[in-house]
Amino acid sequence: MATAPLVERPPAPVAEPPAYRPKKGVLSYWRLYAAISPFYLLFLAFGLIPVGFSLYLSFHRWDGLGSMEYAGLSQYRYLLTDTDFWSSIGNTLIIWALATFPMIFLAMITAVMLNSAVRFKNVYRFAYFLPNVTSVVAVAIIFGSVFSTNFGLVNALLQAVGLDQIAWLNTPWGIKVAIATLMTWQWTGYNAIIFLAGLQTIPGELYEAARMDGAGPVQTFFRITLPLMRPVLLFVLVISTVTGLQSFSEPQVLLQSTANESTFSGGPDHAGRTMVLYFFQQTFDNNDFGYGAAVAWGIFLVVVIFSIINWRLVQRRGED
Amino acid sequence: MAVTTQTEPAPTEPPRTEPAKGTRIRGNRRRGVALHVSLLFGVLLSAFPFYWAVIMSTHTSTEIFSYPPKLLPGSHFGDNLNKLFDSIDFFGSMFNSLLVAVSVTFLVLFFDSLAAFVFAKFSFPGRRVLFAMMMAIFMVPAQLAAIPQFVIMAKLGWIGSMTSLIVPAAANAFGIFWMRQYMKSAIHDELLDASKIDGASFLRQYWHVALPVVRPGLAFLGIFTFMGQWNDYAWPLIALTDPGNVTLQVALSQLNGVHGTTDYGMVMTGAVLALIPLLIVFAIGAKQIIADLGKGAIR
């Protein structure tokens, strides 16, 4: 600090918080601990204790009112053979795949196009991001009408080109397609903007060099853009896995009006019943809090396993 | 995919900024037109459901059920509005939503930035462990804690009141992490040292030195928090047990629930109205949101 710089210099890269470290006891830091305490107190009350309690709960039978009854591993044993749970995993994975792959593909195309467009870039970004801002409830209601059998737009289109109508919300596959379409619509723009941020970090010289070497646009995309985008792709994939595998509001609202049993049933044949929907059904419809807790841990495990698989797949591809 | 044009950010500029004026566009004019036509098509797909919802909100259900579908506005918006206000306590639930979203946003901004300031700029025993713990919390899925949270709320007597929505959301790991990254680079240590020499207390440093510098970061976090709270659905659905006293999202879903007799004109009116506050907030903060969004991914 002895020599004052003439021009304002950029902040030095700070690795560790420096400042002052008075050699005093732990208590002398009380202000700092007090400042970070709200988060930890809230976490303790509404995070750590609940998670611990849900583990405890999963080894017990409890209807939420009476006394708990120790059940050992029986609920987990039942979970392993619970065909409803397995079918909910299947539903979730199918819906996730139906939504995620088109979404990533479309988002990538959109990002590349946005990156090429010079004019109106901000207007486009605003418009593409809009679907993500809106509430799932409102959107699901709207999509419920888009896919409606009697007056839906999709069926009107099919009719206009002379095809048969499809009872989207009343067939097992139609439900999944409808939910996946909703998710794709809501998340494509969001991911396109994330991809765009990644594209903008790729140095222009690389494209220059590729052009000099006579690489075409497709070659450039697969040899330069895609490999360099791997970290961003990984980020998007992991986030979409974690959120996609926990989808709840979309099917819940979309299928509420067609539900034949409860609000968590997931439509006809339970074909839209995702894992989290099943969790809610067991817990709050059947008042089976103990088994609900076991289901929650099952979901957690599925999400973790799936995230790891995704992670590995994307990393592998880049190694060779 | 066959897009040949590439933009080149000038090397001296930070990556986030727009490409320099001299950006070279290879390819001819026709290609540029094709590009904008494709992009506009995407915009159309993005915007159409909104348009259609607005159109439906101006028709009666009978009109909506007719073929071909109505694509132009009708004249029944007023009727639908009246039916909506008769069916649910629209303004009551909107007030609840606003109450929750605004309170949570201010609490999050305060608690998260305060904690972030400590993690970014101070050293104290246990800092690493506490921070690592916070990041681990990030990963725990919400439904794991849902049942016990419900039980705890019931014991506290908060079930059915907005307190059960506000208090647990008042601080979060994402916000602390986000603000910490921001503060690390934005707040110069020289500035803190100087204020220390001037005898500024910890709180004064936070309020007068740190906060003014990180306003853009706070704006992003604030808008993001508001939107998240406004749109939250799963937890309010469980925690608000009195159907007459819910947030807007839950009230809307109640409208949709009546089997077979759903009045789509009315429901759409509600869905459209519920989007308005959100769109206003987004329009105010869109620049900030869109600019900062990618940072998490490319860090």
Side-chain angles (χ1 to χ4, degrees):
Chain A
M1 282 283 75
T3 52
L6 290 173
V7 285
E8 199 184 354
R9 53 181 185 140
V14 188
E16 282 303 304
Y20 24 86
R21 190 198 294 243
K23 291 192 179 67
K24 282 184 268 175
V26 172
L27 279 180
S28 66
Y29 298 101
W30 69 269
R31 283 182 192 83
L32 302 182
Y33 291 120
I36 59 170
S37 63
F39 170 78
Y40 289 94
L41 290 177
L42 288 177
F43 165 65
L44 196 71
F46 303 109
L48 193 65
I49 292 175
V51 168
F53 185 61
S54 87
L55 189 64
Y56 175 80
L57 200 55
S58 68
F59 294 106
H60 292 76
R61 254 182 274 282
W62 193 39
D63 61 2
L65 295 169
S67 56
M68 284 184 219
E69 185 191 323
Y70 182 71
L73 279 171
S74 68
Q75 304 199 110
Y76 285 102
R77 229 174 280 133
Y78 181 70
L79 187 69
L80 287 176
T81 58
D82 182 355
T83 48
D84 283 344
F85 179 64
W86 286 102
S87 83
S88 77
I89 295 179
N91 290 339
T92 313
L93 291 183
I94 292 170
I95 293 169
W96 174 83
L98 283 177
T100 302
F101 295 117
M103 180 192 78
I104 287 183
F105 179 71
L106 290 174
M108 190 63 100
I109 293 178
T110 309
V112 172
M113 289 199 301
L114 278 176
N115 202 26
S116 318
V118 180
R119 310 177 67 187
F120 313 122
K121 197 179 241 182
N122 284 330
V123 180
Y124 286 133
R125 289 204 287 189
F126 183 89
Y128 281 119
F129 193 62
L130 216 48
N132 193 253
V133 172
T134 51
S135 82
V136 175
V137 174
V139 167
I141 290 173
I142 295 168
F143 270 71
S145 71
V146 170
F147 282 101
S148 159
T149 309
N150 300 319
F151 62 95
L153 271 189
V154 180
N155 274 347
L157 265 172
L158 289 179
Q159 203 174 333
V161 295
L163 292 170
D164 283 342
Q165 300 199 332
I166 297 171
W168 292 101
L169 300 179
N170 288 306
T171 55
W173 272 97
I175 288 171
K176 295 190 176 83
V177 171
I179 299 169
T181 309
L182 189 164
M183 291 172 157
T184 308
W185 177 78
Q186 206 172 13
W187 288 96
T188 297
Y190 173 95
N191 287 312
I193 286 165
I194 289 184
F195 282 142
L196 180 65
L199 285 178
Q200 290 181 342
T201 62
I202 300 177
E205 299 94 76
L206 282 177
Y207 290 116
E208 191 90 13
R211 202 151 48 222
M212 300 266 232
D213 293 344
V218 175
Q219 226 177 346
T220 311
F221 178 80
F222 282 103
R223 292 288 172 81
I224 295 180
T225 310
L226 213 50
L228 286 172
M229 288 285 280
R230 203 159 38 83
V232 183
L233 199 61
L234 179 70
F235 175 87
V236 165
L237 205 56
V238 168
I239 296 291
S240 79
T241 305
V242 172
T243 54
L245 294 190
Q246 297 184 36
S247 59
F248 160 75
S249 311
E250 297 90 347
Q252 203 267 337
V253 181
L254 189 58
L255 301 174
Q256 202 168 61
S257 54
T258 60
N260 36 19
E261 291 169 28
S262 78
T263 51
F264 302 127
S265 73
D269 286 351
H270 308 298
R273 186 168 60 190
T274 59
M275 295 189 292
V276 178
L277 219 49
Y278 184 62
F279 160 75
F280 273 89
Q281 193 177 30
Q282 290 305 310
T283 308
F284 294 106
D285 273 353
N286 297 353
N287 282 324
D288 197 342
F289 282 44
Y291 188 56
V295 171
W297 283 100
I299 295 172
F300 179 54
L301 203 66
V302 172
V303 172
V304 168
I305 291 172
F306 217 68
S307 300
I308 292 171
I309 293 174
N310 267 333
W311 193 285
R312 303 227 92 172
L313 279 181
V314 178
Q315 288 209 317
R316 277 285 150 72
R317 203 190 299 153
E319 273 165 20
D320 42 61
Chain B
M1 194 115 50
V3 179
T4 51
T5 51
Q6 303 291 351
T7 56
E8 303 172 7
T12 48
E13 281 181 36
R16 180 158 76 71
T17 54
E18 299 306 310
K21 284 280 183 290
T23 301
R24 178 185 355 207
I25 300 290
R26 288 198 99 220
N28 49 30
R29 204 172 174 78
R30 212 186 312 152
R31 206 170 266 151
V33 171
L35 176 70
H36 282 282
V37 168
S38 323
L39 282 169
L40 275 176
F41 182 69
V43 171
L44 211 67
L45 284 181
S46 284
F48 190 76
F50 296 115
Y51 173 77
W52 207 48
V54 172
I55 294 300
M56 286 175 77
S57 73
T58 64
H59 287 286
T60 63
S61 278
T62 332
E63 285 168 349
I64 291 170
F65 273 93
S66 63
Y67 181 86
K70 297 269 181 292
L71 291 173
L72 292 172
S75 57
H76 290 89
F77 183 71
D79 301 345
N80 287 331
L81 210 57
N82 285 332
K83 276 190 269 180
L84 175 71
F85 293 158
D86 285 344
S87 306
I88 54 169
D89 180 10
F90 186 84
F91 289 106
S93 52
M94 189 173 224
F95 173 79
N96 284 342
S97 283
L98 277 175
L99 175 75
V100 171
V102 171
S103 332
V104 169
T105 301
F106 278 102
L107 288 170
V108 161
L109 286 183
F110 178 66
F111 288 140
D112 283 6
S113 65
L114 191 62
F117 182 50
V118 171
F119 278 122
K121 291 291 164 185
F122 294 90
S123 180
F124 56 94
R127 188 176 66 93
R128 273 167 195 284
V129 177
L130 285 169
F131 191 75
M133 207 166 108
M134 194 187 73
M135 292 312 294
I137 295 161
F138 223 172
M139 318 283 167
V140 178
Q143 68 270 12
L144 265 190
I147 301 171
Q149 263 181 17
F150 183 80
V151 175
I152 291 170
M153 294 291 175
K155 290 259 189 283
L156 289 169
W158 290 355
I159 288 295
S161 90
M162 298 305 137
T163 320
S164 64
L165 272 50
I166 296 172
V167 175
N172 62 64
F174 165 76
I176 298 176
F177 180 72
W178 166 259
M179 287 312 299
R180 171 184 169 269
Q181 298 299 96
Y182 208 99
M183 287 174 164
K184 268 189 134 174
S185 58
I187 304 170
H188 298 203
D189 292 317
E190 290 86 350
L191 211 57
L192 279 184
D193 288 340
S195 72
K196 181 75 180 175
I197 291 164
D198 291 345
S201 67
F202 168 71
L203 273 182
R204 278 186 77 88
Q205 285 187 325
Y206 162 72
W207 195 258
H208 291 293
V209 181
L211 278 196
V213 182
V214 295
R215 256 193 216 137
L218 285 173
F220 175 81
L221 180 60
I223 292 158
F224 222 72
T225 307
F226 183 93
M227 296 197 305
Q229 287 299 315
W230 185 267
N231 287 336
D232 195 15
Y233 176 63
W235 176 244
L237 184 69
I238 303 169
L240 302 177
T241 43
D242 172 7
N245 189 30
V246 291
T247 56
L248 197 49
Q249 307 300 336
V250 180
L252 278 184
S253 77
Q254 290 170 354
L255 280 182
N256 200 32
V258 194
H259 181 67
T261 57
T262 306
D263 184 339
Y264 271 95
M266 174 191 73
V267 172
M268 284 302 155
T269 309
V272 170
L273 289 185
L275 289 177
I276 293 174
L278 209 57
L279 294 180
I280 294 173
V281 170
F282 176 60
I284 294 170
K287 235 180 158 172
Q288 200 74 48
I289 288 270
I290 291 171
D292 284 345
L293 192 67
K295 280 187 179 170
I298 57 174
R299 203 170 16 83

